[in-house]
Amino acid sequence: MLPRCAVSVCHVLMLVLCLSAAEDFDWTKNDHSSFYYGTFPAGFSWGAGSSAYQTEGAWDKDGKGLSIWDVFSHKKGKIQLNETGDSSCEGYYKVKDDVSLMKELKLNHYRFSISWPRLVPTGIKSEHINEKGIQHYEQLIDHLLENNITPIVTLYHWDLPQVLQEKYGGWQNISMVNHFNEFANLCFERFGNRVKHWITFNNPWSVAVEGYETGEHAPGLKLRGTGAYRAAHHIIKAHAKVWHTYDTQWRAKQKGLVGISLSGDWGEPVDISNQKDIEAAERYVQFYLGWFATPIFHGDYPQVMKDFIGRKSVQQGLGASRLPAFSPQEKSYIKGTCDFLGVGHFTTRYITQKTNPSGRSSSSYFSDRDLAELVDPRWPDPGSEWLYSVPWGFRRLLNFVKTQYGNPMVYVTENGVSEKMLCTELCDDWRIQYYKDYINEMLKAIKDGVNVKGYTAWSLLDKFEWDEGYSERFGLYYVDFRNKNKPRYPKASVQFYKRIISSNGFPNQREVENWRRKAVETCSSSNQLLAADPLTSHMEMVTEIVVPTVCTLSILLSAIFLMFLLRRRN
Ligand code: NOJ
């Protein structure tokens, strides 16, 4: 995501630029404001998602190895309030409870990720397989299937085994391709009879940019201008290898699908009559989603990335482009390795052209793009600083996917909105609004002909939000992290999302407004439950700490008193 200081500069810039641009911008185009009542195609799959490090906890239990996130989060100053995912939602111990929440929502699918170091503690399969880790995911998968919930399984949601980082430098090293392939193969072997939807990587953009360029995420490296491109290069090769492994060794027998989940914000030109802004906005999306999607669908990086990074590398006096190149064999090996495309989408930016100085010291992924990101101050931003609610951008992004990549089968693998920790409010009216509008734009995109097969609300539970710790809550269910049992409470959005699922869309205005009213009404009773919770924690403290301490002290005092009496007698 965009660095914070840049966002603030953008705010100011936006006030000036957008206000003048808004007059030119045709807000009625693409039906920005009109709501579309209608239903989704039969068989459309409704789900919710999570990831291992963000929810499981049990970071060092039952033979699990360390991941880069375990190590990163334990370093002081990396995460808000120095929080960690050590216990998080304790999801590792709450499989049955969480599946019953999914039942309550009537979900068709649940998207979760497998922790690589929980299965293969050192990351190297030939060294050791942790059977207890396997059992955990077997239990989860079986329980989902018993409840008619389809598992959609991500193989890499950012928790690389720490040993691979220390030994080889993680995704900077080509050897990750084979190690990841071995791990994926193990998952196909053990779970593939039951799992039919596999996602190789979740949001590799973040892995590359935030892990190896800005260092905000694990492993925290700041290899500006080169690290992200090299990491992405290896990730794309690893994805292709895993797809081929499945295709040649498992597909005939298991009949499943292998895709990748890419994140992309939409980029809209500030001034739609300015060719430079139009090109800058296209570049923004190509450097984001296109960076990974273009090789996978067309065999090579987007031309605009090759041109811009190549030209800047020459200007910087480098002998070769900082963007690595695929050989002709690699191109044809990578092309077409996607049975479905996972799309993670949250927000939109206005984009304008901005030429950056091309000195070597200033080289970075961000400056390579020659653009500035702006936001409209009128866009709602209830939670995360980067997350503005701009529903129409979703429809545009989905249409971009359709036209650029030959209308692939799409699963929306992440979409949702957060709130700040300060709001312990379960009546999340703004989240209802966000889901209602974004899901509606997705429905319009389907009417446009985009081949969307399923939607995953992000996320089922509040959870560890990476470098933001627990300060940003994305959950449909509120998790009380102060209580060691990590109880879950439904927010109002649970009721609303449930209605969308059971109606497979939006029947008519009156009903949808009714859902919303009812959802907000019922959440006040859940609010009371939550309000009572500090009392519960207080009671727990009384029974677990105060009572034993008082008892011990009383025994000690009585003993001293007894000794005193005995001495006096003698
Ligand atoms: C994308 C990441 O995949 C997910 O883990 C995270 O919770 C969301 N972005 C929200 O920041």
Side-chain angles (χ1 to χ4, degrees):
M1 305 299 155
L2 192 66
R4 259 172 233 138
C5 54
V7 172
S8 323
V9 175
C10 289
H11 273 108
V12 180
L13 261 173
M14 189 57 211
L15 278 172
V16 183
L17 272 166
C18 179
L19 292 178
S20 58
E23 280 149 33
D24 306 333
F25 191 79
D26 183 357
W27 292 96
T28 55
K29 221 173 165 200
N30 243 353
D31 293 342
H32 272 166
S33 49
S34 67
F35 197 85
Y36 183 90
Y37 290 95
T39 49
F40 284 81
F44 189 82
S45 189
W46 296 100
S50 73
S51 83
Y53 187 72
Q54 291 181 280
T55 52
E56 278 179 2
W59 71 295
D60 59 351
K61 296 291 184 298
D62 290 348
K64 175 181 166 293
L66 289 183
S67 82
I68 55 174
W69 271 96
D70 291 314
V71 173
F72 188 73
S73 65
H74 281 108
K75 287 187 185 150
K76 291 274 165 285
K78 301 291 182 194
I79 313 291
Q80 276 230 14
L81 302 176
N82 291 319
E83 316 231 50
T84 70
D86 290 3
S87 58
S88 191
C89 309
E90 300 279 22
Y92 186 72
Y93 303 106
K94 287 179 172 275
V95 168
K96 293 211 162 146
D97 295 354
D98 288 343
V99 174
S100 55
L101 302 182
M102 297 171 213
K103 277 291 277 182
E104 163 68 21
L105 271 163
K106 300 219 166 52
L107 295 187
N108 304 115
H109 71 257
Y110 178 53
R111 177 187 174 214
F112 65 93
S113 79
I114 293 183
S115 158
W116 183 351
R118 199 180 285 291
L119 248 57
V120 184
T122 64
I124 302 169
K125 186 181 143 193
S126 56
E127 286 180 359
H128 176 55
I129 296 169
N130 180 27
E131 289 300 330
K132 284 210 164 150
I134 304 252
Q135 275 162 25
H136 166 71
Y137 293 109
E138 292 212 304
Q139 188 204 358
L140 171 58
I141 293 165
D142 289 344
H143 206 57
L144 287 170
L145 291 173
E146 279 158 24
N147 287 283
N148 283 325
I149 301 168
T150 303
I152 299 191
V153 180
T154 309
L155 293 167
Y156 189 83
H157 202 124
W158 308 358
D159 43 0
L160 185 79
Q162 174 67 11
V163 172
L164 296 180
Q165 189 64 46
E166 281 169 17
K167 257 192 177 167
Y168 305 107
W171 291 106
Q172 291 301 293
N173 194 301
I174 186 72
S175 65
M176 289 310 98
V177 174
N178 283 338
H179 293 309
F180 182 63
N181 184 53
E182 289 284 290
F183 160 65
N185 205 16
L186 171 70
C187 294
F188 298 151
E189 181 193 331
R190 299 297 190 92
F191 312 123
N193 56 344
R194 288 156 286 175
V195 173
K196 305 297 166 191
H197 296 78
W198 295 100
I199 292 169
T200 54
F201 287 90
N202 172 71
N203 190 355
W205 183 93
S206 261
V207 177
V209 173
E210 294 174 302
Y212 294 89
E213 170 98 18
T214 67
E216 290 159 289
H217 281 187
L221 299 177
K222 296 181 180 154
L223 309 168
R224 291 191 202 274
T226 57
Y229 297 132
R230 187 172 306 132
H233 202 64
H234 296 148
I235 287 174
I236 293 165
K237 287 185 183 185
H239 160 82
K241 179 144 192 169
V242 168
W243 184 89
H244 281 286
T245 297
Y246 191 82
D247 201 46
T248 53
Q249 296 181 35
W250 302 103
R251 190 187 294 282
K253 203 156 118 212
Q254 297 183 348
K255 301 193 169 49
L257 302 171
V258 178
I260 188 167
S261 172
L262 303 179
S263 280
D265 295 352
W266 176 244
E268 183 74 12
V270 164
D271 177 357
I272 51 162
S273 63
N274 179 338
Q275 187 57 24
K276 290 236 176 296
D277 279 4
I278 295 174
E279 285 167 18
E282 162 89 16
R283 242 181 358 262
Y284 177 79
V285 182
Q286 293 294 2
F287 265 75
Y288 212 138
L289 185 98
W291 183 5
F292 300 90
T294 319
I296 290 168
F297 287 99
H298 301 309
D300 201 0
Y301 290 117
Q303 192 59 42
V304 75
M305 286 187 81
K306 294 200 285 185
D307 292 346
F308 270 62
I309 304 163
R311 181 167 41 78
K312 283 179 185 263
S313 303
V314 171
Q315 287 165 357
Q316 288 155 358
L318 301 170
S321 175
R322 285 181 281 103
L323 182 70
F326 294 117
S327 71
Q329 292 84 344
E330 285 168 346
K331 286 180 192 172
S332 54
Y333 183 76
I334 292 165
K335 185 175 171 178
T337 54
C338 209
D339 302 324
F340 66 91
L341 180 65
V343 173
H345 174 78
F346 293 88
T347 194
T348 283
R349 292 286 180 269
Y350 277 116
I351 305 294
T352 188
Q353 148 78 27
K354 175 178 165 276
T355 311
N356 291 313
S358 54
R360 201 186 282 193
S361 58
S362 63
S363 93
S364 80
Y365 162 85
F366 293 101
S367 61
D368 282 341
R369 304 174 306 169
D370 275 350
L371 54 85
E373 299 178 39
L374 311 166
V375 295
D376 184 334
R378 291 167 297 186
W379 289 342
D381 59 338
S384 312
E385 226 168 321
W386 52 270
L387 206 173
Y388 296 83
S389 173
V390 194
W392 51 264
F394 192 21
R395 179 180 182 182
R396 293 188 181 198
L397 183 78
L398 290 170
N399 271 285
F400 177 91
V401 164
K402 172 184 161 219
T403 47
Q404 293 268 320
Y405 312 119
N407 205 9
M409 184 199 292
V410 169
Y411 276 85
V412 172
T413 39
E414 283 184 23
N415 176 244
V417 67
S418 55
E419 75 244 20
K420 291 259 187 266
M421 183 67 170
L422 290 176
C423 315
T424 43
E425 174 64 89
L426 298 177
C427 299
D428 54 348
D429 205 22
W430 69 91
R431 183 172 284 107
I432 290 182
Q433 186 70 40
Y434 180 99
Y435 276 130
K436 175 176 170 238
D437 292 342
Y438 270 75
I439 293 174
N440 198 245
E441 291 298 315
M442 175 176 67
L443 178 57
K444 291 179 191 170
I446 293 175
K447 303 286 169 203
D448 297 336
V450 186
N451 189 14
V452 187
K453 294 288 187 203
Y455 173 86
T456 314
W458 192 262
S459 46
L460 181 72
L461 306 174
D462 289 340
K463 59 193 173 347
F464 181 80
E465 188 49 39
W466 310 112
D467 52 324
E468 302 297 343
Y470 295 95
S471 65
E472 291 175 9
R473 295 171 170 269
F474 276 85
L476 288 160
Y477 285 88
Y478 180 94
V479 177
D480 186 357
F481 295 107
R482 298 162 307 171
N483 182 325
K484 75 175 188 349
N485 295 323
K486 313 291 166 83
R488 285 88 157 116
Y489 299 88
K491 298 179 191 174
S493 47
V494 164
Q495 300 308 324
F496 191 78
Y497 187 41
K498 201 171 139 178
R499 303 284 187 168
I500 297 180
I501 297 175
S502 58
S503 305
N504 197 31
F506 306 97
N508 59 60
Q509 188 172 2
R510 204 160 45 93
E511 257 195 76
V512 175
E513 270 163 20
N514 244 341
W515 296 349
R516 183 184 193 137
R517 201 171 33 76
K518 283 201 186 130
V520 176
E521 269 167 27
T522 51
C523 68
S524 47
S525 56
S526 311
N527 252 345
Q528 281 164 13
L529 269 177
L530 179 61
D533 186 56
L535 194 69
T536 321
S537 334
H538 186 77
M539 299 290 279
E540 265 177 17
M541 195 178 82
V542 169
T543 47
E544 286 174 19
I545 302 170
V546 180
V547 171
T549 315
V550 169
C551 286
T552 320
L553 276 176
S554 317
I555 293 169
L556 264 172
L557 281 174
S558 322
I560 293 169
F561 186 62
L562 212 71
M563 275 165 57
F564 174 76
L565 280 183
L566 285 173
R567 278 219 182 144
R568 279 196 66 182
R569 266 201 186 172
N570 299 337

